[in-house]
mmCIF file of all heavy atoms in Angstrom:
data_model
loop_
_atom_site.group_PDB
_atom_site.id
_atom_site.type_symbol
_atom_site.label_atom_id
_atom_site.label_comp_id
_atom_site.label_asym_id
_atom_site.label_seq_id
_atom_site.Cartn_x
_atom_site.Cartn_y
_atom_site.Cartn_z
ATOM 1 N N GLN W 1 0.870 -1.225 -0.034
ATOM 2 C CA GLN W 1 0.027 0.001 -0.033
ATOM 3 C C GLN W 1 0.866 1.232 0.003
ATOM 4 O O GLN W 1 2.028 1.239 0.450
ATOM 5 C CB GLN W 1 -0.901 0.015 1.228
ATOM 6 C CG GLN W 1 -2.013 -1.042 1.215
ATOM 7 C CD GLN W 1 -2.997 -0.943 2.354
ATOM 8 O OE1 GLN W 1 -2.686 -0.426 3.393
ATOM 9 N NE2 GLN W 1 -4.207 -1.345 2.099
ATOM 10 N N ARG W 2 0.282 2.332 -0.467
ATOM 11 C CA ARG W 2 0.942 3.613 -0.416
ATOM 12 C C ARG W 2 1.178 4.010 0.994
ATOM 13 O O ARG W 2 0.283 3.875 1.875
ATOM 14 C CB ARG W 2 0.190 4.704 -1.165
ATOM 15 C CG ARG W 2 0.906 5.977 -1.349
ATOM 16 C CD ARG W 2 0.085 6.979 -2.232
ATOM 17 N NE ARG W 2 -0.158 6.377 -3.589
ATOM 18 C CZ ARG W 2 -0.683 7.090 -4.579
ATOM 19 N NH1 ARG W 2 -1.007 8.371 -4.385
ATOM 20 N NH2 ARG W 2 -0.877 6.526 -5.706
ATOM 21 N N GLU W 3 2.372 4.502 1.318
ATOM 22 C CA GLU W 3 2.727 4.893 2.742
ATOM 23 C C GLU W 3 3.235 6.319 2.734
ATOM 24 O O GLU W 3 3.912 6.799 1.801
ATOM 25 C CB GLU W 3 3.727 3.900 3.319
ATOM 26 C CG GLU W 3 5.046 3.901 2.676
ATOM 27 C CD GLU W 3 6.034 2.918 3.343
ATOM 28 O OE1 GLU W 3 5.595 2.118 4.201
ATOM 29 O OE2 GLU W 3 7.215 2.967 3.028
ATOM 30 N N TRP W 4 3.024 6.935 3.872
ATOM 31 C CA TRP W 4 3.512 8.286 4.078
ATOM 32 C C TRP W 4 4.963 8.274 4.364
ATOM 33 O O TRP W 4 5.500 7.455 5.124
ATOM 34 C CB TRP W 4 2.680 8.860 5.292
ATOM 35 C CG TRP W 4 3.131 10.187 5.722
ATOM 36 C CD1 TRP W 4 3.006 11.406 5.098
ATOM 37 C CD2 TRP W 4 3.860 10.493 6.984
ATOM 38 N NE1 TRP W 4 3.490 12.427 5.875
ATOM 39 C CE2 TRP W 4 4.059 11.864 7.017
ATOM 40 C CE3 TRP W 4 4.370 9.733 7.981
ATOM 41 C CZ2 TRP W 4 4.681 12.509 8.085
ATOM 42 C CZ3 TRP W 4 4.935 10.352 9.058
ATOM 43 C CH2 TRP W 4 5.153 11.685 9.068
ATOM 44 N N VAL W 5 5.652 9.227 3.775
ATOM 45 C CA VAL W 5 7.161 9.386 3.991
ATOM 46 C C VAL W 5 7.425 10.583 4.886
ATOM 47 O O VAL W 5 8.195 10.473 5.802
ATOM 48 C CB VAL W 5 7.820 9.563 2.621
ATOM 49 C CG1 VAL W 5 9.316 9.859 2.808
ATOM 50 C CG2 VAL W 5 7.701 8.250 1.720
ATOM 51 N N GLY W 6 6.817 11.707 4.552
ATOM 52 C CA GLY W 6 6.999 12.887 5.313
ATOM 53 C C GLY W 6 6.164 14.013 4.775
ATOM 54 O O GLY W 6 5.562 13.953 3.672
ATOM 55 N N SER W 7 6.103 15.135 5.594
ATOM 56 C CA SER W 7 5.279 16.273 5.250
ATOM 57 C C SER W 7 5.960 17.580 5.523
ATOM 58 O O SER W 7 6.860 17.633 6.430
ATOM 59 C CB SER W 7 3.956 16.186 5.925
ATOM 60 O OG SER W 7 3.231 15.033 5.681
ATOM 61 N N ILE W 8 5.471 18.604 4.856
ATOM 62 C CA ILE W 8 5.904 20.003 5.275
ATOM 63 C C ILE W 8 4.585 20.805 5.315
ATOM 64 O O ILE W 8 3.755 20.772 4.433
ATOM 65 C CB ILE W 8 6.890 20.589 4.251
ATOM 66 C CG1 ILE W 8 7.323 21.944 4.696
ATOM 67 C CG2 ILE W 8 6.365 20.569 2.818
ATOM 68 C CD1 ILE W 8 8.580 22.468 3.956
ATOM 69 N N THR W 9 4.462 21.540 6.359
ATOM 70 C CA THR W 9 3.195 22.392 6.504
ATOM 71 C C THR W 9 3.423 23.708 5.903
ATOM 72 O O THR W 9 4.518 24.071 5.474
ATOM 73 C CB THR W 9 2.885 22.505 8.058
ATOM 74 O OG1 THR W 9 3.987 23.267 8.703
ATOM 75 C CG2 THR W 9 2.717 21.164 8.704
ATOM 76 N N SER W 10 2.347 24.513 5.918
ATOM 77 C CA SER W 10 2.460 25.873 5.291
ATOM 78 C C SER W 10 3.425 26.730 6.091
ATOM 79 O O SER W 10 4.050 27.645 5.506
ATOM 80 C CB SER W 10 1.074 26.464 5.312
ATOM 81 O OG SER W 10 0.543 26.560 6.610
ATOM 82 N N ASP W 11 3.595 26.443 7.389
ATOM 83 C CA ASP W 11 4.567 27.284 8.104
ATOM 84 C C ASP W 11 5.984 26.756 8.073
ATOM 85 O O ASP W 11 6.893 27.257 8.718
ATOM 86 C CB ASP W 11 4.087 27.492 9.550
ATOM 87 C CG ASP W 11 4.136 26.159 10.375
ATOM 88 O OD1 ASP W 11 4.588 25.173 9.829
ATOM 89 O OD2 ASP W 11 3.720 26.220 11.544
ATOM 90 N N GLY W 12 6.184 25.679 7.287
ATOM 91 C CA GLY W 12 7.505 25.125 7.082
ATOM 92 C C GLY W 12 7.909 23.990 8.017
ATOM 93 O O GLY W 12 9.060 23.509 7.914
ATOM 94 N N SER W 13 7.076 23.610 8.891
ATOM 95 C CA SER W 13 7.376 22.545 9.836
ATOM 96 C C SER W 13 7.396 21.220 9.061
ATOM 97 O O SER W 13 6.553 21.018 8.183
ATOM 98 C CB SER W 13 6.365 22.454 10.964
ATOM 99 O OG SER W 13 6.434 23.660 11.710
ATOM 100 N N THR W 14 8.301 20.373 9.393
ATOM 101 C CA THR W 14 8.438 19.071 8.722
ATOM 102 C C THR W 14 8.332 17.879 9.693
ATOM 103 O O THR W 14 8.585 18.047 10.924
ATOM 104 C CB THR W 14 9.803 18.912 7.961
ATOM 105 O OG1 THR W 14 10.856 19.146 8.891
ATOM 106 C CG2 THR W 14 9.847 19.891 6.825
ATOM 107 N N ASP W 15 7.896 16.808 9.201
ATOM 108 C CA ASP W 15 7.799 15.588 10.018
ATOM 109 C C ASP W 15 8.035 14.364 9.067
ATOM 110 O O ASP W 15 7.751 14.489 7.856
ATOM 111 C CB ASP W 15 6.397 15.490 10.612
ATOM 112 C CG ASP W 15 6.328 14.458 11.707
ATOM 113 O OD1 ASP W 15 7.394 13.983 12.199
ATOM 114 O OD2 ASP W 15 5.204 14.045 12.143
ATOM 115 N N TYR W 16 8.557 13.297 9.662
ATOM 116 C CA TYR W 16 8.947 12.176 8.850
ATOM 117 C C TYR W 16 8.574 10.849 9.476
ATOM 118 O O TYR W 16 8.496 10.758 10.685
ATOM 119 C CB TYR W 16 10.472 12.170 8.642
ATOM 120 C CG TYR W 16 11.009 13.418 8.054
ATOM 121 C CD1 TYR W 16 11.458 14.443 8.850
ATOM 122 C CD2 TYR W 16 11.059 13.595 6.661
ATOM 123 C CE1 TYR W 16 11.940 15.676 8.347
ATOM 124 C CE2 TYR W 16 11.566 14.769 6.102
ATOM 125 C CZ TYR W 16 11.973 15.824 6.933
ATOM 126 O OH TYR W 16 12.421 17.025 6.363
ATOM 127 N N ASP W 17 8.341 9.890 8.629
ATOM 128 C CA ASP W 17 8.186 8.527 9.126
ATOM 129 C C ASP W 17 9.526 8.028 9.692
ATOM 130 O O ASP W 17 10.605 8.415 9.283
ATOM 131 C CB ASP W 17 7.763 7.600 8.004
ATOM 132 C CG ASP W 17 7.475 6.237 8.517
ATOM 133 O OD1 ASP W 17 6.403 5.993 9.068
ATOM 134 O OD2 ASP W 17 8.336 5.346 8.344
ATOM 135 N N ASP W 18 9.425 7.180 10.745
ATOM 136 C CA ASP W 18 10.626 6.736 11.389
ATOM 137 C C ASP W 18 11.588 6.012 10.425
ATOM 138 O O ASP W 18 12.821 6.042 10.704
ATOM 139 C CB ASP W 18 10.226 5.777 12.528
ATOM 140 C CG ASP W 18 9.732 6.507 13.758
ATOM 141 O OD1 ASP W 18 9.860 7.787 13.834
ATOM 142 O OD2 ASP W 18 9.081 5.885 14.637
ATOM 143 N N SER W 19 11.094 5.419 9.411
ATOM 144 C CA SER W 19 11.907 4.627 8.502
ATOM 145 C C SER W 19 12.849 5.464 7.671
ATOM 146 O O SER W 19 13.867 5.001 7.103
ATOM 147 C CB SER W 19 11.075 3.788 7.595
ATOM 148 O OG SER W 19 10.251 4.645 6.710
ATOM 149 N N VAL W 20 12.580 6.829 7.583
ATOM 150 C CA VAL W 20 13.372 7.692 6.799
ATOM 151 C C VAL W 20 13.966 8.820 7.603
ATOM 152 O O VAL W 20 14.790 9.622 7.082
ATOM 153 C CB VAL W 20 12.598 8.302 5.587
ATOM 154 C CG1 VAL W 20 11.975 7.163 4.765
ATOM 155 C CG2 VAL W 20 11.513 9.278 6.081
ATOM 156 N N LYS W 21 13.604 8.954 8.845
ATOM 157 C CA LYS W 21 14.067 10.065 9.715
ATOM 158 C C LYS W 21 15.576 9.982 9.776
ATOM 159 O O LYS W 21 16.194 8.966 9.991
ATOM 160 C CB LYS W 21 13.402 9.921 11.066
ATOM 161 C CG LYS W 21 13.442 11.179 11.889
ATOM 162 C CD LYS W 21 12.545 11.070 13.104
ATOM 163 C CE LYS W 21 11.073 10.946 12.776
ATOM 164 N NZ LYS W 21 10.238 10.913 13.973
ATOM 165 N N GLY W 22 16.188 11.172 9.571
ATOM 166 C CA GLY W 22 17.682 11.248 9.604
ATOM 167 C C GLY W 22 18.311 10.997 8.270
ATOM 168 O O GLY W 22 19.487 11.294 8.075
ATOM 169 N N ARG W 23 17.535 10.458 7.313
ATOM 170 C CA ARG W 23 18.085 10.183 5.946
ATOM 171 C C ARG W 23 17.448 11.102 4.879
ATOM 172 O O ARG W 23 18.074 11.495 3.982
ATOM 173 C CB ARG W 23 17.887 8.734 5.565
ATOM 174 C CG ARG W 23 18.586 7.736 6.527
ATOM 175 C CD ARG W 23 18.489 6.337 5.930
ATOM 176 N NE ARG W 23 17.120 5.864 5.797
ATOM 177 C CZ ARG W 23 16.594 5.389 4.676
ATOM 178 N NH1 ARG W 23 17.308 5.359 3.564
ATOM 179 N NH2 ARG W 23 15.321 4.940 4.693
ATOM 180 N N PHE W 24 16.156 11.367 5.063
ATOM 181 C CA PHE W 24 15.397 12.139 4.104
ATOM 182 C C PHE W 24 15.065 13.508 4.637
ATOM 183 O O PHE W 24 14.854 13.671 5.881
ATOM 184 C CB PHE W 24 14.050 11.437 3.769
ATOM 185 C CG PHE W 24 14.204 10.150 2.966
ATOM 186 C CD1 PHE W 24 15.374 9.532 2.747
ATOM 187 C CD2 PHE W 24 13.047 9.614 2.447
ATOM 188 C CE1 PHE W 24 15.492 8.355 2.058
ATOM 189 C CE2 PHE W 24 13.119 8.401 1.689
ATOM 190 C CZ PHE W 24 14.312 7.816 1.495
ATOM 191 N N THR W 25 15.066 14.529 3.767
ATOM 192 C CA THR W 25 14.753 15.871 4.201
ATOM 193 C C THR W 25 13.802 16.538 3.194
ATOM 194 O O THR W 25 14.092 16.463 1.969
ATOM 195 C CB THR W 25 16.020 16.730 4.258
ATOM 196 O OG1 THR W 25 16.976 16.151 5.170
ATOM 197 C CG2 THR W 25 15.728 18.134 4.744
ATOM 198 N N ILE W 26 12.755 17.118 3.693
ATOM 199 C CA ILE W 26 11.791 17.863 2.806
ATOM 200 C C ILE W 26 12.072 19.346 2.904
ATOM 201 O O ILE W 26 12.280 19.852 4.042
ATOM 202 C CB ILE W 26 10.338 17.510 3.231
ATOM 203 C CG1 ILE W 26 10.056 16.051 3.036
ATOM 204 C CG2 ILE W 26 9.350 18.373 2.382
ATOM 205 C CD1 ILE W 26 8.675 15.631 3.506
ATOM 206 N N SER W 27 12.098 19.969 1.777
ATOM 207 C CA SER W 27 12.249 21.402 1.750
ATOM 208 C C SER W 27 11.401 21.966 0.667
ATOM 209 O O SER W 27 10.821 21.222 -0.136
ATOM 210 C CB SER W 27 13.717 21.813 1.585
ATOM 211 O OG SER W 27 14.162 21.327 0.298
ATOM 212 N N ARG W 28 11.391 23.282 0.519
ATOM 213 C CA ARG W 28 10.612 23.949 -0.506
ATOM 214 C C ARG W 28 11.255 25.229 -0.951
ATOM 215 O O ARG W 28 12.036 25.839 -0.170
ATOM 216 C CB ARG W 28 9.147 24.181 -0.082
ATOM 217 C CG ARG W 28 8.971 25.291 0.946
ATOM 218 C CD ARG W 28 7.507 25.392 1.380
ATOM 219 N NE ARG W 28 7.350 26.527 2.302
ATOM 220 C CZ ARG W 28 6.417 26.544 3.215
ATOM 221 N NH1 ARG W 28 5.505 25.560 3.341
ATOM 222 N NH2 ARG W 28 6.320 27.570 4.026
ATOM 223 N N ASP W 29 10.996 25.587 -2.167
ATOM 224 C CA ASP W 29 11.483 26.819 -2.775
ATOM 225 C C ASP W 29 10.244 27.580 -3.162
ATOM 226 O O ASP W 29 9.585 27.287 -4.204
ATOM 227 C CB ASP W 29 12.367 26.554 -3.941
ATOM 228 C CG ASP W 29 13.038 27.829 -4.558
ATOM 229 O OD1 ASP W 29 12.417 28.871 -4.469
ATOM 230 O OD2 ASP W 29 14.122 27.698 -5.069
ATOM 231 N N ASN W 30 9.880 28.596 -2.376
ATOM 232 C CA ASN W 30 8.663 29.370 -2.654
ATOM 233 C C ASN W 30 8.747 30.088 -4.046
ATOM 234 O O ASN W 30 7.738 30.225 -4.740
ATOM 235 C CB ASN W 30 8.404 30.355 -1.572
ATOM 236 C CG ASN W 30 8.017 29.669 -0.264
ATOM 237 O OD1 ASN W 30 7.667 28.502 -0.229
ATOM 238 N ND2 ASN W 30 8.164 30.376 0.848
ATOM 239 N N ALA W 31 9.922 30.500 -4.404
ATOM 240 C CA ALA W 31 10.118 31.239 -5.609
ATOM 241 C C ALA W 31 9.829 30.330 -6.831
ATOM 242 O O ALA W 31 9.312 30.805 -7.867
ATOM 243 C CB ALA W 31 11.479 31.883 -5.750
#
């Protein structure tokens, strides 16, 4: 099944599944 990896909120807060924490990073470029 599809599984959640991580998220970024509108205020820039991020959260990750334990399986990827410390290895994956979510970021965004507003421009």
Side-chain angles (χ1 to χ4, degrees):
Q1 290 188 332
R2 189 174 299 189
E3 64 179 11
W4 173 74
V5 173
S7 300
I8 183 166
T9 63
S10 57
D11 66 4
S13 299
T14 56
D15 195 13
Y16 304 92
D17 184 78
D18 285 346
S19 65
V20 306
K21 200 169 291 183
R23 299 188 298 125
F24 291 10
T25 303
I26 296 174
S27 63
R28 70 184 182 208
D29 185 329
N30 293 341

